[in-house]
Amino acid sequence: MTPPAATAPNAAELRTVRTPAGQAKDRILDTAFRLFYAQGLRAAGIDTIIAESGVAKATFYKYFPAKDDLILAYLERVDGVWTGQLHAAAEAAGPDPSDQLVGLFDALSTACRRDGYRGCAFINAAAESASGTRVHERTVAHKQHILAWIRDLADKAGVQDPDRLARSLTLVLDGGLASGVLDADPAAAAAARATAAQLVAAALAPSPAPK
Amino acid sequence: MTPPAATAPNAAELRTVRTPAGQAKDRILDTAFRLFYAQGLRAAGIDTIIAESGVAKATFYKYFPAKDDLILAYLERVDGVWTGQLHAAAEAAGPDPSDQLVGLFDALSTACRRDGYRGCAFINAAAESASGTRVHERTVAHKQHILAWIRDLADKAGVQDPDRLARSLTLVLDGGLASGVLDADPAAAAAARATAAQLVAAALAPSPAPK
DNA sequence: CTTGCCGTAGACAGTTCTGTCTGGTAGCGT
DNA sequence: ACGCTACCAGACAGAACTGTCTACGGCAAG
């Protein structure tokens, strides 16, 4: 009966406890989302993520064969969340595309007021990943999606040069996000919104040839 | 004569080679500058820096008791270099402060055309350091210096709201720098300059109350 | 009941990283 | 000639990290 294993803890009172469902993966992703963003991709170790998820190591590696796979899944989730907030903020500004172009900057204000705000997860991830890696490529793709979406809004707003306006606005947005990793100053977000409003207004005006 | 040490390599043909001067520290800093920027603070290991500097480990730890000390020295050097390039670009634009406010963006264009460009060393460093650490504080201080300098230029240019213009310009500048870690697109730098020119022009104009 | 899947628990290997320590060498001023 | 200083070379310790492996428990479907 008693196993001869000297190292094995007597399995009697062994709390293997629970196994809710196929939700171990979700717990891992939740923890990764939190730790990767708060500490950075490299600073957050696999062991810590496993421990805080309350998951067995074998389970972890079943779902994410390598750390990079988890990082990619994390970025995927961030993409969904952030894009959603951006769209929501834009739509909250009303049906007019030119209003939406300004309104989307409210997502920045909201984000930087959140506790533990540490700037843009994608910019931070790019800073930690070598170019050419899957992680880095993923961040580039994200930024391109955002740029395309803003360009689309600018197009609908009927400005003369949608590309130019979209470029300017993403610069301001990225600037606001990047400064967030330094200090989560709400004034920067407000300034970004004001600057965006100015740029959109100028793009809509008859424009006396700004140069 | 022959040392009894079994492990010791016979010191006969030992090339301890050179000891130029007190320049070991410089070589370390040069290597750190290169590797920290190219790979990131965490990805660049002490051992690699030591090996590529051609320096003994003891020498290294004599000058930099901990890795953080080297990182701080690295940031100090980056600050000097980047601030210098910014000032030079501004001055190259002529004596008029309003021209300098636009001209400083030429430093961004130049930087992103450089091989191995990977965005702003400070933003990247901030992404890898926890807030509250010396490294993080140093990056914040850098950005504040830049902001103060631009504000000063805006003041001299005689715009109505120097704070507001300086905020906008740093947002655009940071945006250009942040996007540099994703892809070193010269178009982004050009767009940043154009946006800056537009913002400066608008700030100087009689301004029909932009809202 | 048995079989297979999903899960826990944790030992283990192999690498890498930071930081310490010993020992030896070359030049320089006195 | 002597000692001082700055340097090179590399072994070593201790920790942390990623990833593999064995062993076991419970649940549901056939």
Side-chain angles (χ1 to χ4, degrees):
Chain A
M1 232 9 176
T2 46
T7 65
N10 34 353
E13 200 63 34
L14 228 185
R15 292 192 183 194
T16 312
V17 239
R18 70 210 51 154
T19 311
Q23 254 107 358
K25 189 172 180 177
D26 288 336
R27 263 179 301 161
I28 296 170
L29 258 174
D30 289 344
T31 309
F33 187 85
R34 189 164 43 85
L35 293 186
F36 277 152
Y37 183 71
Q39 307 181 358
L41 304 184
R42 268 189 140 88
I46 293 282
D47 278 351
T48 309
I49 292 172
I50 286 174
E52 294 215 10
S53 307
V55 148
K57 215 161 191 183
T59 305
F60 174 87
Y61 277 102
K62 179 188 170 186
Y63 289 116
F64 305 101
K67 188 179 182 181
D68 264 16
D69 295 312
L70 179 61
I71 293 176
L72 264 333
Y74 155 72
L75 290 179
E76 216 63 46
R77 174 176 285 203
V78 174
D79 190 322
V81 171
W82 177 237
T83 303
Q85 289 171 356
L86 237 28
H87 289 193
E91 279 163 23
D96 189 342
S98 62
D99 289 337
Q100 294 187 353
L101 281 171
V102 180
L104 68 89
F105 279 82
D106 288 332
L108 180 61
S109 304
T110 305
C112 90
R113 240 180 289 271
R114 237 187 302 271
D115 211 46
Y117 176 65
R118 237 175 64 87
C120 174
F122 283 93
I123 291 175
N124 296 354
E128 286 197 81
S129 60
S131 80
T133 56
R134 284 185 299 164
V135 172
H136 199 271
E137 302 290 344
R138 185 64 188 79
T139 67
V140 174
H142 167 78
K143 287 296 174 192
Q144 283 173 348
H145 293 158
I146 300 290
L147 176 61
W149 172 61
I150 292 183
R151 205 216 92 100
D152 195 50
L153 279 181
D155 214 22
K156 287 180 185 150
V159 304
Q160 289 174 357
D161 193 343
D163 282 308
R164 182 168 139 75
L165 178 59
R167 272 276 192 202
S168 294
L169 291 179
T170 53
L171 278 172
V172 175
L173 182 59
D174 283 346
L177 285 168
S179 72
V181 77
L182 302 171
D183 57 345
D185 188 359
R193 192 190 198 279
T195 306
Q198 178 183 345
L199 290 172
V200 171
L204 286 171
S207 92
K211 190 258 154 70
Chain B
M1 229 13 174
T2 46
T7 64
N10 34 355
E13 198 62 33
L14 229 184
R15 291 194 182 191
T16 313
V17 238
R18 71 211 52 153
T19 311
Q23 254 106 358
K25 189 172 181 179
D26 287 337
R27 264 179 301 161
I28 296 170
L29 258 174
D30 289 345
T31 310
F33 187 86
R34 191 164 43 87
L35 294 186
F36 278 153
Y37 183 71
Q39 307 181 358
L41 303 184
R42 270 189 138 87
I46 294 280
D47 278 351
T48 309
I49 293 172
I50 286 173
E52 294 215 11
S53 307
V55 149
K57 215 160 191 183
T59 306
F60 174 87
Y61 278 101
K62 179 188 170 186
Y63 289 116
F64 305 101
K67 189 180 181 179
D68 265 16
D69 296 311
L70 179 61
I71 293 176
L72 264 334
Y74 155 72
L75 291 179
E76 216 63 46
R77 175 177 285 203
V78 173
D79 190 320
V81 170
W82 176 237
T83 302
Q85 289 171 358
L86 238 28
H87 288 194
E91 280 161 23
D96 189 342
S98 62
D99 289 337
Q100 295 187 351
L101 281 172
V102 180
L104 68 89
F105 279 82
D106 288 333
L108 179 61
S109 304
T110 305
C112 91
R113 241 181 286 272
R114 238 186 301 271
D115 212 46
Y117 176 65
R118 237 176 63 87
C120 175
F122 283 93
I123 291 175
N124 296 354
E128 286 198 80
S129 60
S131 79
T133 56
R134 284 185 300 164
V135 171
H136 198 271
E137 302 290 345
R138 186 64 187 80
T139 68
V140 174
H142 167 78
K143 285 297 175 191
Q144 283 174 348
H145 293 159
I146 301 289
L147 176 60
W149 173 62
I150 291 183
R151 207 217 91 99
D152 194 51
L153 279 181
D155 213 23
K156 286 179 186 152
V159 304
Q160 288 174 0
D161 193 343
D163 282 308
R164 181 166 140 75
L165 179 60
R167 273 276 194 202
S168 294
L169 290 180
T170 53
L171 278 173
V172 174
L173 182 60
D174 283 346
L177 286 168
S179 71
V181 77
L182 300 172
D183 57 345
D185 188 359
R193 192 191 198 279
T195 305
Q198 178 183 346
L199 289 172
V200 171
L204 286 171
S207 93
K211 190 260 155 70

